[in-house]
Amino acid sequence: VAHEINNPLNFIYSNLCLADEYTQELLGLIHLYQQTYTNSTPEITAQTEAIDLEFLESDLPKLVKSMRVGAERICQIVQLLRNFSHLDEAQLKLADIHEGIDSTLLLLQHRLKAKPGRPAIEVMKEYNNLPQVECYSSQLNQVFMNILANAIDAIEEEHKKSGIRKDCTEGNGQVIEELCRCSIHNTPHRNPKLWICTEVKEGDRIIIRIADNGSGMTEDIQRRLFDPFFTT
């Protein structure tokens, strides 16, 4: 997918550079005409007012610039997808574990941001010095994606239970918002957090720990966690 997006994107981005150059040249030519021919015809004056030329002259460069910014953002996302999937790297290869985790977090950034009724999820990293690890990096990144996405789901579920927003009306008719604290823990809202810790163990092994302060699993689900085909 990243490869298919990248080809037309490069075409668009390279042409935007030319579009910016052509825009400046055309605007310069218009200014030259205005300076040379100060007495315009009624038709030109009417058309100038109809298209609001002054606004176009100021807005068109901004429009092209915003398109370039958008194209650059797409380029960043494509590169991120390539890093995440390790395109053309289906075999065992040495990989940077921290780079894989960080790429996954960037892909999930939209879910970490604050939402109505839930503050932003804080990601706390405790990265130790890790050697590169021989692994199937794209598959490992998918594991990170599944675990982190499940952690975010658990955090959001916890906030649904412990912080349901509702409208309450006082005697004077003024509507206020009350945060209901009815979680299974009977505790106030906790700031949502994700912890990611890495360390080397026994020389040739590494440990990756991922934790959250979401709702967690019930004992029944924990007992069946490794049952074949079991899912929640």
Side-chain angles (χ1 to χ4, degrees):
V1 175
H3 180 71
E4 292 298 324
I5 295 174
N6 202 44
N7 287 337
L9 179 61
N10 286 334
F11 177 77
I12 293 171
Y13 186 75
S14 60
N15 283 338
L16 279 174
C17 296
L18 289 175
D20 187 27
E21 181 181 341
Y22 295 164
T23 297
Q24 297 301 326
E25 291 176 350
L26 287 172
L27 290 176
L29 181 60
I30 291 173
H31 292 157
L32 182 60
Y33 266 102
Q34 290 173 331
Q35 293 170 4
T36 305
Y37 302 100
T38 56
N39 297 322
S40 63
T41 65
E43 292 82 0
I44 293 177
T45 300
Q47 185 63 18
T48 299
E49 294 175 353
I51 66 173
D52 196 352
L53 180 60
E54 184 178 351
F55 171 76
L56 289 181
E57 289 176 338
S58 63
D59 192 59
L60 184 56
K62 297 177 184 177
L63 180 66
V64 175
K65 182 179 180 180
S66 67
M67 293 168 66
R68 290 188 64 180
V69 170
E72 289 171 357
R73 177 58 181 149
I74 297 174
C75 287
Q76 293 172 357
I77 294 172
V78 169
Q79 185 59 48
L80 184 61
L81 287 170
R82 292 173 67 90
N83 291 340
F84 175 80
S85 62
H86 284 266
L87 203 62
D88 303 325
E89 295 183 14
Q91 299 178 352
L92 275 171
K93 287 191 175 182
L94 291 175
D96 186 330
I97 297 299
H98 293 156
E99 182 183 279
I101 295 173
D102 290 340
S103 294
T104 306
L105 287 171
L106 284 173
L107 287 174
L108 290 169
Q109 188 64 38
H110 66 288
R111 297 198 60 194
L112 298 172
K113 294 179 180 178
K115 296 181 178 180
R118 173 181 65 73
I121 298 174
E122 180 184 0
V123 179
M124 305 178 68
K125 302 176 186 177
E126 296 180 19
Y127 287 172
N128 286 284
N129 292 327
L130 297 183
Q132 288 196 322
V133 176
E134 188 177 29
C135 61
Y136 295 99
S137 55
S138 62
Q139 296 181 26
L140 186 59
N141 286 345
Q142 188 60 57
V143 172
F144 295 150
M145 173 67 75
N146 292 342
I147 294 175
L148 291 169
N150 285 343
I152 295 172
D153 289 341
I155 289 173
E156 291 183 340
E157 182 65 25
E158 172 70 9
H159 272 260
K160 287 179 183 177
K161 293 177 180 177
S162 62
I164 304 172
R165 299 174 70 88
K166 70 176 183 179
D167 289 337
C168 301
T169 305
E170 292 184 330
N172 59 5
Q174 181 182 7
V175 176
I176 63 172
E177 287 186 329
E178 181 184 64
L179 194 60
C180 300
R181 309 193 186 282
C182 54
S183 73
I184 55 176
H185 307 293
N186 291 320
T187 57
H189 248 332
R190 295 173 295 175
N191 290 332
K193 293 182 181 180
L194 272 172
W195 289 272
I196 305 174
C197 177
T198 63
E199 63 177 298
V200 176
K201 184 71 172 179
E202 298 175 359
D204 61 346
R205 296 175 182 269
I206 67 168
I207 297 177
I208 304 169
R209 295 186 176 92
I210 300 175
D212 63 79
N213 61 351
S215 56
M217 294 182 289
T218 64
E219 291 184 3
D220 180 59
I221 291 178
Q222 291 181 35
R223 285 194 295 268
R224 303 183 60 190
L225 191 59
F226 296 103
D227 289 355
F229 309 112
F230 173 72
T231 179
T232 57

